[in-house]
Amino acid sequence: MTTHNVVSVSGGKDSTATLLVALALDTPNLTAVFADTGNEHEQTYRYLDYLEQETGVDIARVRADFTQRIEGKRRFIESKWREQGIAESIVLAALEVLQPTGNPFLDLCIWKGRFPSRMAQFCTMELKRDPMLEQVVMPLMGPDNMIVSWQGVRSDESLNRKYLPECDEVGGGLFNYRPILKWDIPAVFEAHRYMGINPNPLYSQGMGRVGCMPCINCRKDELSEIALRFPEVIDRIDRWERTVLLASKRGAATFFASSKAKHPAGSTAHLTSVQIMETASIRQPVEWSKTARGGIQYDLLIATDATACSSAYGLCDTMEAA
Ligand code: SF4
């Protein structure tokens, strides 16, 4: 029986600490994997290169591919939307944007015709868990292999993670192992210091978490920092919103859902593409993020559980201030 150890690395502090634990323990058959969502900050890509260089561990990059599902959605729109009486201008606009771009996050949203949200957080599964399982874990599975999936989660991050066991069996020879489950944040940074590894520089640039830039769960103050420091990120999301809403039958696709936002006409059936594009954008929550309180309360912000990234797999770093 051969044991394969697979460490999920996001470029955030917890998964990096987990990788460092694996290295400190001289763990055999170690595979480090980064699931590239396509919505990462450039500094995270550079940090992964740095980690590889400093640790001597290759970090495999995996990406989800939505080409076939987008093709299936095109066929669906061509037949079903027309059958449903959706306006031809909306059908044609959707068909025009339903083309794979090669960016996993954008392609996922084009395929779904919407962005993920706290209530429908399909991004973690589609962009991180599944590519890792399909491209790294499943090829290792077999009667003579045991696979240990190392996950950088901590129990004090959220209620979802509070009661996770340190180790559990998934089945088929696959086990989860969470070596830093009982660690606190200082311990995580201490592990970096002890091993001579710098944390991702985004932590010293106002980011409380490292993962998608931005994450659908980002905090109000974090969004404000992103807009201030990395306006090009907001510009990119703004462009994505314009693309994704054309793939949306509802004619609404904002990165951050607003609890009060309503489509101006109630129905999109008779709206032109241009009218749809004018309904909402990330610019509104960005403006709101600069206020002290008040205004529309956006779904992402002031969440009841500030660590609302609910993946139990440790694939999305969470949100405490470093
Ligand atoms: S970091 Fe946030 S936006 Fe990205 S996959 Fe995880 S939950 Fe989704």
Side-chain angles (χ1 to χ4, degrees), residues 118 218-220 288 292-294 297-306:
R118 284 196 302 121
C218 88
R219 288 187 318 230
K220 182 182 184 184
W288 178 76
R293 292 281 300 180
Q297 302 295 300
Y298 289 88
D299 199 26
L300 74 162
L301 309 161
I302 313 185
T304 46
D305 177 0

Short mmCIF file of all heavy atoms in Angstrom, two decimals, residues 118 218-220 288 292-294 297-306:
data_model
loop_
_atom_site.label_atom_id
_atom_site.label_comp_id
_atom_site.label_asym_id
_atom_site.label_seq_id
_atom_site.Cartn_x
_atom_site.Cartn_y
_atom_site.Cartn_z
N ARG A 118 -23.17 33.92 -1.53
CA ARG A 118 -23.07 33.21 -0.25
C ARG A 118 -24.11 32.11 -0.15
O ARG A 118 -23.89 31.07 0.47
CB ARG A 118 -23.25 34.18 0.93
CG ARG A 118 -22.02 35.02 1.16
CD ARG A 118 -22.08 35.68 2.53
NE ARG A 118 -23.25 36.52 2.69
CZ ARG A 118 -24.16 36.35 3.63
NH1 ARG A 118 -24.05 35.37 4.49
NH2 ARG A 118 -25.19 37.17 3.71
N CYS A 218 -16.10 38.70 0.42
CA CYS A 218 -15.16 39.65 1.01
C CYS A 218 -15.90 40.67 1.88
O CYS A 218 -17.07 40.95 1.71
CB CYS A 218 -14.31 40.32 -0.06
SG CYS A 218 -14.97 41.79 -0.79
N ARG A 219 -15.13 41.20 2.83
CA ARG A 219 -15.71 42.14 3.78
C ARG A 219 -15.79 43.53 3.18
O ARG A 219 -15.10 43.84 2.22
CB ARG A 219 -14.80 42.23 5.02
CG ARG A 219 -14.82 41.04 5.92
CD ARG A 219 -14.00 41.37 7.18
NE ARG A 219 -12.77 42.09 6.88
CZ ARG A 219 -11.57 41.73 7.34
NH1 ARG A 219 -11.44 40.67 8.10
NH2 ARG A 219 -10.50 42.44 7.04
N LYS A 220 -16.59 44.36 3.82
CA LYS A 220 -16.75 45.73 3.36
C LYS A 220 -15.41 46.47 3.31
O LYS A 220 -15.08 47.10 2.31
CB LYS A 220 -17.73 46.44 4.31
CG LYS A 220 -18.03 47.87 3.92
CD LYS A 220 -18.97 48.49 4.95
CE LYS A 220 -19.36 49.89 4.53
NZ LYS A 220 -20.18 50.56 5.53
N TRP A 288 -20.44 52.01 -1.83
CA TRP A 288 -20.98 51.77 -0.48
C TRP A 288 -19.88 51.38 0.50
O TRP A 288 -19.91 51.76 1.67
CB TRP A 288 -22.05 50.67 -0.55
CG TRP A 288 -22.61 50.33 0.79
CD1 TRP A 288 -23.51 51.05 1.52
CD2 TRP A 288 -22.29 49.18 1.57
NE1 TRP A 288 -23.78 50.41 2.71
CE2 TRP A 288 -23.04 49.26 2.75
CE3 TRP A 288 -21.46 48.08 1.37
CZ2 TRP A 288 -22.97 48.28 3.75
CZ3 TRP A 288 -21.39 47.11 2.35
CH2 TRP A 288 -22.14 47.22 3.53
N ALA A 292 -19.46 54.83 5.99
CA ALA A 292 -19.37 54.26 7.34
C ALA A 292 -20.47 53.23 7.55
O ALA A 292 -20.23 52.11 7.98
CB ALA A 292 -19.47 55.37 8.38
N ARG A 293 -21.69 53.59 7.26
CA ARG A 293 -22.85 52.69 7.38
C ARG A 293 -23.89 53.16 6.37
O ARG A 293 -23.73 54.13 5.68
CB ARG A 293 -23.47 52.75 8.78
CG ARG A 293 -22.64 52.21 9.88
CD ARG A 293 -22.64 50.72 9.98
NE ARG A 293 -23.94 50.11 10.19
CZ ARG A 293 -24.11 48.80 10.30
NH1 ARG A 293 -23.08 48.00 10.24
NH2 ARG A 293 -25.28 48.28 10.49
N GLY A 294 -25.00 52.47 6.34
CA GLY A 294 -26.13 52.96 5.58
C GLY A 294 -26.09 52.59 4.11
O GLY A 294 -25.19 51.88 3.66
N GLN A 297 -27.64 47.47 1.76
CA GLN A 297 -26.80 46.49 2.42
C GLN A 297 -26.54 45.35 1.44
O GLN A 297 -27.46 44.64 1.06
CB GLN A 297 -27.50 45.94 3.67
CG GLN A 297 -27.84 47.02 4.68
CD GLN A 297 -26.60 47.68 5.25
OE1 GLN A 297 -25.79 47.01 5.84
NE2 GLN A 297 -26.48 48.98 5.06
N TYR A 298 -25.32 45.21 1.04
CA TYR A 298 -25.01 44.18 0.06
C TYR A 298 -24.81 42.85 0.75
O TYR A 298 -24.37 42.77 1.89
CB TYR A 298 -23.79 44.58 -0.77
CG TYR A 298 -24.15 45.70 -1.69
CD1 TYR A 298 -24.04 47.01 -1.28
CD2 TYR A 298 -24.69 45.43 -2.94
CE1 TYR A 298 -24.43 48.04 -2.11
CE2 TYR A 298 -25.08 46.45 -3.78
CZ TYR A 298 -24.95 47.75 -3.35
OH TYR A 298 -25.35 48.77 -4.17
N ASP A 299 -25.13 41.83 -0.01
CA ASP A 299 -25.17 40.48 0.53
C ASP A 299 -23.85 40.05 1.14
O ASP A 299 -23.78 39.33 2.11
CB ASP A 299 -25.55 39.54 -0.61
CG ASP A 299 -26.07 38.22 -0.12
OD1 ASP A 299 -26.58 38.19 1.00
OD2 ASP A 299 -25.94 37.25 -0.85
N LEU A 300 -22.77 40.49 0.51
CA LEU A 300 -21.45 40.02 0.94
C LEU A 300 -21.04 40.57 2.26
O LEU A 300 -20.20 40.00 2.94
CB LEU A 300 -20.40 40.46 -0.08
CG LEU A 300 -20.03 41.95 -0.06
CD1 LEU A 300 -18.72 42.15 -0.77
CD2 LEU A 300 -21.10 42.79 -0.68
N LEU A 301 -21.57 41.72 2.60
CA LEU A 301 -20.92 42.52 3.61
C LEU A 301 -21.70 42.49 4.91
O LEU A 301 -22.90 42.34 4.93
CB LEU A 301 -20.83 43.95 3.07
CG LEU A 301 -20.22 44.00 1.66
CD1 LEU A 301 -20.54 45.29 0.98
CD2 LEU A 301 -18.75 43.77 1.72
N ILE A 302 -20.97 42.66 5.99
CA ILE A 302 -21.57 42.55 7.30
C ILE A 302 -22.37 41.26 7.36
O ILE A 302 -23.50 41.21 7.79
CB ILE A 302 -22.45 43.77 7.63
CG1 ILE A 302 -21.70 45.07 7.31
CG2 ILE A 302 -22.79 43.79 9.10
CD1 ILE A 302 -22.42 46.33 7.71
N ALA A 303 -21.78 40.21 6.86
CA ALA A 303 -22.42 38.91 6.93
C ALA A 303 -22.55 38.50 8.39
O ALA A 303 -21.77 38.90 9.23
CB ALA A 303 -21.57 37.89 6.18
N THR A 304 -23.57 37.73 8.70
CA THR A 304 -23.76 37.30 10.08
C THR A 304 -22.57 36.48 10.54
O THR A 304 -22.10 36.62 11.65
CB THR A 304 -25.03 36.45 10.20
OG1 THR A 304 -25.02 35.51 9.13
CG2 THR A 304 -26.26 37.32 10.10
N ASP A 305 -22.08 35.64 9.67
CA ASP A 305 -20.87 34.90 9.96
C ASP A 305 -19.79 35.45 9.04
O ASP A 305 -19.81 35.23 7.85
CB ASP A 305 -21.10 33.41 9.67
CG ASP A 305 -19.84 32.59 9.89
OD1 ASP A 305 -18.81 33.19 10.26
OD2 ASP A 305 -19.91 31.38 9.69
N ALA A 306 -18.88 36.20 9.61
CA ALA A 306 -17.90 36.88 8.77
C ALA A 306 -16.97 35.91 8.07
O ALA A 306 -16.24 36.27 7.17
CB ALA A 306 -17.09 37.86 9.61
#
